[in-house]
Amino acid sequence: MPGRLIFGWIILPRPASIAAMFFLAAISASYWPFVVLAVSVAFIIIAISKLRMHPFLALILAALLACLLAGNASWDVVQKDGKVKTMPALVGAVEMVSKGLGDSARDIAISIALAAIIGMCLMESGGADKVVRRFLAFFGEKHAGWALLWSTFILSAPIFFDTMFMLMVPLAMALRMRTGKDYTLYLMAICCGGTVTHSMTVPHPGPVAVVESLKLNVGESLVGGLVIGAITCFFGFLFSKWLNARTDVPLRESGGVSLQELQGVSAKPESELPSFFWSITPVILPILLISLTTVFELAHAGAAKGVGWGLAMVNALGGAHGFDSIRAWVDFIGHKNIALLIGAAISVGVLVKQRRFGLKKIEDLMGPPLETACMIILITSAGGAFGYALRIAGVGGAVAELAKNYSLNLILLGWIVAAVVRVAQGSATVAMLTAASIMAPMVVGADLGCHPLYLFTSIGFGAMFCSWMNDSGFWVVSRLSGMTEKETLRTWSLQLTADSIIGLLVTLILSKLLPLV
């Protein structure tokens, strides 16, 4: 029709059509980052679940897709010499993805590799077995669930969840054979302690990446993550007891260990195990060293104000000059990579002393865990590249604007973003990386009303929400424990969902009672 155009012109006169087009274009521009987010996350889900693509490739391609969808005519890419080079859209997108991956690998690679070494040594030396035995002796067999919970919580600080579960599930099965009951409780105690630490503490890849994205102090994140995580574990264990009363999982043969092998789980004599002190030192010492850097940082801040214990500490160490000299060494040995290196060296020493292994045997033993760590580093770094792509595509700013318009609590928003990504694609690490990348621009200059530590923990708990069949952890727990898929959904999935919600509530309450600002 004359004076009318297809779509808008069919209904509106020509001037009104033009106005509507401009209005829709403005709406599209402001909401386009959400389109980028939705398309790229949908791609990850389809690529991993339907096309069976490896997570590394899926994340890299999703990052490239996000950069291309951003619609930039060119990219300003920082070169190795520090100079900025402007590149056209297609080549620049590839370079930006590479930069995101490289930046993420720089932050996490050493920590993850060293944590893998510590975990291997704890298992091979018998140190992990020693810690569990001491906890069982302390709590008593009647309270074996508590023993499994807290020993897993402490031991899993440097050990990946899959490895930790493989270590602990034979103990849960042996206890079930001994007591004749509470197998669900034992399994959920292990899952609760291991998954909370996995989302709360450095050097696990998700927490490391979130700490870097939010520019948090590592020591503060470690202490805060452990404290809030411990509170969550306590209440989470109460939920485990509730589950145990309603779901009786029978003991079955599993891919982890046969029923005949269970008879020998606790048969190794104490003489073949290292002492409790040397068993737990590779875990506790790095935590203490990292935390010590926070003590010195807080002391420095207090002394600068001329009040409090910080000033007293500076004076006790010989004034500003003496304090700064000691702090330089504390910051060095308390750097997460150096602290973990010290822990790894001690764990290797314990293994050599206990098992009388030579250097060649140690080298052979380090191969498999380092290979596993390399795969985790690749996937996590690819997740970092994806998060970086979302950030430069403007997703963080768009979410910030939306949150401002609807007055959303940023702590709650961080949990929601992580939970949505977690349910969509399964990986807790990728959920933390994505949520941190989205939330990081929002905290710059924003008034959270509390310490950013609480945003860190809310993201971590959000990434635990509702693990189901697209999560590798779901299948690890199902196959190694002997549970069916239905039983795993009724126990593991519910336990992690409860822990996620409990952790969020603990975070919100503490952020009001102890804002730390």
Side-chain angles (χ1 to χ4, degrees), residues 126-368:
D129 190 15
K130 182 74 170 189
V131 171
V132 173
R133 289 192 190 192
R134 291 284 69 78
F135 272 81
L136 282 171
F138 177 81
F139 286 97
E141 190 172 294
K142 184 179 179 181
H143 303 291
W146 287 107
L148 289 176
L149 173 74
W150 296 119
S151 55
T152 304
F153 181 78
I154 291 175
L155 284 171
S156 61
I159 302 177
F160 307 131
F161 173 75
D162 291 5
T163 304
M164 194 68 223
F165 191 79
M166 291 176 193
L167 168 70
M168 299 296 288
V169 73
L171 297 174
M173 298 174 83
L175 283 168
R176 167 62 175 79
M177 291 188 70
R178 186 182 305 167
T179 62
K181 59 181 181 178
D182 294 339
Y183 186 43
T184 302
L185 178 66
Y186 301 146
L187 289 175
M188 292 307 101
I190 295 169
C191 293
C192 183
T195 53
V196 167
T197 310
H198 181 81
S199 290
M200 289 292 110
T201 60
V202 172
H204 289 284
V208 169
V210 176
V211 165
E212 295 294 337
S213 295
L214 299 181
K215 308 302 179 187
L216 289 177
N217 176 282
V218 176
E220 289 178 347
S221 74
L222 188 53
V223 173
L226 286 172
V227 171
I228 295 176
I231 297 171
T232 301
C233 278
F234 176 83
F235 290 105
F237 183 77
L238 300 182
F239 184 80
S240 300
K241 296 179 75 171
W242 182 86
L243 276 179
N244 183 63
R246 286 157 178 77
T247 307
D248 182 22
V249 176
L251 191 60
R252 307 183 182 98
E253 295 277 352
S254 72
V257 62
S258 69
L259 296 181
Q260 289 79 7
E261 289 173 335
L262 292 178
Q263 305 298 333
V265 166
S266 303
K268 187 178 290 187
E270 289 281 335
S271 59
E272 295 183 18
L273 301 178
S275 68
F276 178 75
F277 175 82
W278 288 113
S279 296
I280 205 166
T281 294
V283 178
I284 297 298
L285 184 59
I287 293 174
L288 294 177
L289 292 176
I290 293 171
S291 301
L292 189 59
T293 62
T294 302
V295 173
F296 271 74
E297 181 177 330
L298 294 175
H300 175 76
K305 298 176 182 178
V307 294
W309 63 270
L311 180 61
M313 182 175 175
V314 170
N315 292 333
L317 295 177
H321 178 72
F323 177 84
D324 290 342
S325 299
I326 296 174
R327 185 185 179 188
W329 282 101
V330 169
D331 286 346
F332 173 69
I333 63 173
H335 188 282
K336 66 177 188 293
N337 291 338
I338 299 300
L340 287 167
L341 180 61
I342 294 171
I346 293 173
S347 67
V348 170
V350 172
L351 176 59
V352 170
K353 181 178 183 299
Q354 197 65 33
R355 301 292 297 275
R356 307 295 181 187
F357 287 156
L359 296 179
K360 181 62 173 65
K361 180 64 175 178
I362 296 296
E363 179 190 7
D364 292 340
L365 288 173
M366 284 187 182

Side-chain angles (χ1 to χ4, degrees), residues 431-468:
M432 294 185 74
L433 288 164
T434 305
S437 298
I438 292 172
M439 299 301 297
M442 302 173 64
V443 300
V444 178
D447 182 16
L448 282 176
C450 60
H451 197 284
L453 164 70
Y454 294 114
L455 178 58
F456 162 74
T457 58
S458 73
I459 290 174
F461 286 121
M464 293 170 55
F465 185 78
C466 193
S467 167
W468 60 295

Side-chain angles (χ1 to χ4, degrees), residues 46 60 71 111 120 139 158 176 200 217 404 502:
I46 294 171
I60 287 296
S111 298
M120 178 275 293
F139 286 97
R176 167 62 175 79
M200 289 292 110
N217 176 282
K404 185 191 304 180
I502 292 168

